[in-house]
Amino acid sequence: MNLFSLLDQTTARHGDRGAVYLGEHQVHTWAELRERALRIASTLRGLGPAARIAVASENRPEIVEVMFATWAAEAVLVPINAKLHPREMEQILADAGAAVVFASPTIGAALARVSTVPIETLGGPEYRSRCSATTAVAPRHTDPAALAWLFYTSGTTGRSKGAMLSHRNLMAMTVAHLADFDSPDENCSLVHGAPMSHGSGLYVPPYVARGARQVVPASGVFDPAEFLDLCTAHPGCSAFLAPTMVARLVQTGRGRPENLRTIVYGGGPMYVESLKKAMAAFGPVFVQLYGQGEAPMTITGLRRRDHLGNEGLAPDSVLGSVGYARSGVDVAVLAADGRPAAVGEVGEVVCRGDVVMAGYWNDPKATAATLRDGWLHTGDMGAFDAAGHLTLRDRSKDVVISGGSNIYPREVEEVLLEHPGVVEAGVVGAPDPEWGEVVVAFIVGQAPPAELDAHLLERIARFKRPKRYLYLDELPKNSYGKVLKRELRARLN
Ligand code: AMP
């Protein structure tokens, strides 16, 4: 099993059709893409078995061919988030033992100052000579357990770790996406709004499998107006976007572009109020995934029609959930003593199935702590309802324990966001001699504390109310748009 077979099959059916686009312009057909990938593959084979091939770049069309070239060479792709500091990139390169890093010109120049790994500029002279090398033969018998992708986690909890994803893992993810969420064809497009190093790149295989165009925005980054324009210029557009990107689309004030089919959102919490605004602006195009690098894009999900329910808009309890188990994945919630939690009881979310990683690269200790008794322990806290919808609480380390009661920041944040004067809210626990911890809310917006107190008192239990409100211009986020609770906590000192 080799992911390259997806490109092979699509080329056989649709070789002359456009495959890769930069903005509105066609860069390669499927036949050209396959040919270039195989030529690059022939130059990578000399790097040895399972060589790690890193890519550090903003979104660019070459990323698609490097992906398939790496798989054709039976090597391992190591995508690196373009927004990381060069020193953080170097840590990943060193950890992965990368044989080469393909970088955009700007990132390559910055990396050259700190890295000893050979750097090659995407589209540069050396790269172009790889593209005209002798064609390699497409791989035939790759072990399904062979590594295809080292997925470096976003590191909100500390050092970034490399989740080892095999061809089988990514094929299971591909099949689940096509089964549960979207069934594109050759008249469709995947628009790379989010970074191709992570969420958007993981969706390359399912869309290549169906011959859908790979559209890379000319800016290389997420620009809401450019993204919406591309969803008019190309047919049948789908995209993966982080919840913060969806909010930015809504802020444009523009409606649904003509050819927008599907927006898959996830990777971080989508608040109910924000989702309702997005559905009002763009219609029923939304699909939610809950996953993590360790089980890429695939633990639970909320399909398009689940968002609508019977009345045109599903109840808040469903919209605020992360849906139910994805095809081919077992999902359970375990109580603190390890037994399966009852309906409504909060515990740790665990999952198993062909999507689950083999472990962390060079980190047996972290692997043993995460893969236990046949389950991936996600570190996320959640509870099932009677219909099998999973609602995530917070990561266990973010739960506030005040006077012995557990308070889930997300619940307080959801209610704060219902107030018209609150743009963003981030809730954390502050150490307190009397209560152990007390709730503190960081607010982006104008609503004064007394008003927020009154608003909360009408909606949730008194003990969950913040003892302090602190106002910021914006919440600190990492380069994936995830709110950094540890930075909020640091501001309390
Ligand atoms: P990463 O491995 O960096 O993609 O981060 C994965 C983590 O993001 C998960 O363990 C969850 O804590 C969070 N996450 C992913 N999807 C969702 C979602 N749909 N809703 C809330 N949190 C999510």
Side-chain angles (χ1 to χ4, degrees):
M1 177 191 284
N2 189 307
L3 293 157
F4 190 84
S5 65
L6 304 175
L7 175 57
D8 248 354
Q9 291 164 19
T10 284
T11 304
R13 294 197 306 280
H14 307 296
D16 291 340
R17 294 180 69 101
V20 182
Y21 289 74
L22 180 61
E24 294 186 24
H25 304 289
Q26 182 178 317
V27 182
H28 298 301
T29 62
W30 290 108
E32 287 162 358
L33 174 65
R34 178 179 179 279
E35 185 64 27
R36 286 170 69 88
L38 286 177
R39 286 181 195 275
I40 299 171
S42 74
T43 68
L44 297 179
R45 287 212 170 133
L47 295 173
R52 270 78 63 207
I53 312 297
V55 182
S57 170
E58 304 78 17
N59 288 356
R60 284 175 69 106
E62 293 94 342
I63 295 176
V64 183
E65 62 200 24
V66 171
M67 250 180 206
F68 284 94
T70 303
W71 296 330
E74 300 185 301
V76 187
L77 190 72
V78 185
I80 298 178
N81 177 359
K83 290 192 185 155
L84 292 182
H85 188 281
R87 290 199 183 281
E88 294 170 315
M89 292 190 182
E90 169 55 15
Q91 275 166 17
I92 292 178
L93 292 171
D95 188 68
V100 61
V101 51
F102 290 108
S104 63
T106 29
I107 293 180
L111 257 181
R113 289 196 278 278
V114 295
S115 182
T116 52
V117 174
I119 301 167
E120 205 167 297
T121 309
L122 284 167
E126 280 173 283
Y127 184 82
R128 286 202 301 275
S129 72
R130 287 183 191 268
C131 298
S132 45
T134 331
T135 311
V137 178
R140 294 260 172 268
H141 301 295
T142 305
D143 179 352
L147 294 189
W149 187 311
L150 273 188
F151 185 103
Y152 277 84
T153 56
S154 54
T156 46
T157 50
R159 191 179 66 83
S160 159
K161 299 189 284 288
M164 296 192 284
L165 303 178
S166 66
H167 286 266
R168 178 189 281 129
N169 294 150
L170 295 178
M171 207 62 101
M173 176 204 74
T174 297
V175 172
H177 181 73
L178 297 173
D180 299 340
F181 283 169
D182 205 13
S183 51
D185 60 25
E186 68 277 17
N187 298 310
C188 293
S189 313
L190 174 66
V191 183
H192 289 289
M196 293 169 80
S197 56
H198 287 74
S200 205
L202 283 167
Y203 277 157
V204 168
Y207 288 85
V208 165
R210 291 290 177 267
R213 296 177 179 191
Q214 301 292 314
V215 178
V216 180
S219 68
V221 295
F222 179 66
D223 172 334
E226 179 187 32
F227 176 85
L228 292 171
D229 289 343
L230 288 174
C231 294
T232 301
H234 290 279
C237 292
S238 298
F240 163 74
L241 298 179
T244 44
M245 294 174 167
V246 175
R248 288 180 61 201
L249 288 186
V250 174
Q251 282 160 16
T252 62
R254 287 169 55 175
R256 179 178 180 171
E258 208 176 316
N259 298 332
L260 177 60
R261 257 165 65 89
T262 308
I263 290 180
V264 184
Y265 64 89
M270 170 69 106
Y271 295 101
V272 174
E273 284 307 305
S274 314
L275 178 58
K276 285 182 180 167
K277 281 184 197 150
M279 288 175 70
F282 299 112
V285 295
F286 293 97
V287 166
Q288 181 185 189
L289 75 85
Y290 157 53
Q292 51 178 207
E294 294 81 346
M297 314 301 257
T298 322
I299 300 176
T300 66
L302 203 60
R303 293 166 310 163
R304 187 189 307 254
R305 63 176 171 279
D306 303 323
H307 285 72
L308 302 175
N310 298 328
E311 319 266 307
L313 189 63
D316 287 3
S317 58
V318 172
L319 295 179
S321 80
V322 291
Y324 48 89
R326 297 287 302 281
S327 296
V329 185
D330 285 342
V331 185
V333 171
L334 301 182
D337 58 8
R339 72 182 158 78
V343 166
E345 186 185 358
V346 176
E348 188 181 13
V349 180
V350 296
C351 72
R352 63 185 174 199
D354 276 355
V355 288
V356 172
M357 66 166 184
Y360 294 111
W361 179 256
N362 277 342
D363 199 339
K365 217 169 133 198
T367 303
T370 308
L371 297 177
R372 279 181 279 130
D373 311 320
W375 293 98
L376 167 69
H377 289 250
T378 64
D380 291 317
M381 304 300 284
F384 278 118
D385 70 9
H389 294 109
L390 177 68
T391 296
L392 289 186
R393 297 300 185 160
D394 291 86
R395 294 189 70 79
S396 39
K397 65 180 178 32
D398 288 332
V399 173
V400 182
I401 305 178
S402 187
S405 300
N406 283 4
I407 300 170
Y408 296 102
R410 166 115 188 233
E411 184 188 359
V412 184
E413 290 159 4
E414 290 268 13
V415 178
L416 284 167
L417 282 165
E418 287 172 20
H419 190 285
V422 176
V423 182
E424 287 187 290
V427 166
V428 296
D432 182 84
E434 191 181 349
W435 298 98
E437 279 183 303
V438 291
V439 175
V440 177
F442 287 87
I443 302 287
V444 178
Q446 302 300 331
E451 247 186 56
L452 292 176
D453 260 350
H455 173 83
L456 289 171
L457 278 174
E458 278 177 24
R459 290 166 177 85
I460 52 171
R462 180 172 283 271
F463 74 92
K464 297 178 184 170
R465 226 168 13 130
K467 295 277 182 293
R468 260 194 291 162
Y469 296 92
L470 299 169
Y471 291 79
L472 297 177
D473 290 335
E474 59 180 320
L475 297 183
K477 301 191 184 88
N478 72 6
S479 48
Y480 301 89
K482 292 191 198 208
V483 174
L484 288 169
K485 291 278 170 98
R486 63 163 189 259
E487 283 200 12
L488 289 179
R489 281 190 284 266
R491 287 178 198 216
L492 295 170
N493 302 325

